[in-house]
Amino acid sequence: MSSPDVTGWDVSLSHLPDHIRRAIEITPAAGTSERIIDITTLGRRTGRARRIEIFFYRAAGTTYLCSGAGGAATDWHANLLANPTFTFHLKNGIRADLPARATPVTDPAERQAVLAEIVADLNQPHDPGTIRPTRLEDWADSRLMRISFRHRPSSRPPASSS
């Protein structure tokens, strides 16, 4: 999905300002601080805003949130299942509050490919905060969400056709 869908959400980052796009387009060389964001979800029972700190990941040119090894239930995941819109807060270097939408990744082939890329990234020599070696089988039951960002139409008026 490289162009916005009919609801205005886009997994591509091309519509974001360059400095924000660069902050999200992390590579395996990114350090821990570059991977840490906050997210604000709505509580599934209370409807109140809940802000937490979490790592985000990039795999196959897409942004993901993942619960990590073990796959234990998490409030952020349950909240996003109940209300998939949330705020993605960049906070290290670049500060931005981005409207975002989470979609659970349930297709087994996609999950395997994305988790394999995340685990390979975590096993890089810089090790962004995990204990190595990180094993793919330990991440098999992880909560995994694909993130799309609100596509904002250009504020420029359309070109004249005359």
Side-chain angles (χ1 to χ4, degrees), residues 13-25 94:
L13 304 178
S14 62
H15 63 284
L16 297 174
D18 286 345
H19 68 290
I20 292 173
R21 180 184 42 75
R22 283 191 303 272
I24 298 171
E25 287 180 332
I94 301 292

Side-chain angles (χ1 to χ4, degrees), residues 2 4 8-25 56 58 61 63 88 90 94 96-100 147-154:
S2 61
W9 299 99
D10 195 347
V11 297
S12 153
L13 304 178
S14 62
H15 63 284
L16 297 174
D18 286 345
H19 68 290
I20 292 173
R21 180 184 42 75
R22 283 191 303 272
I24 298 171
E25 287 180 332
F56 75 98
R58 294 283 294 168
T63 307
F88 185 101
L90 289 172
I94 301 292
D97 302 320
L98 306 170
I147 307 307
S148 53
F149 296 93
R150 170 69 71 191
H151 191 278
R152 297 180 184 174
S154 171

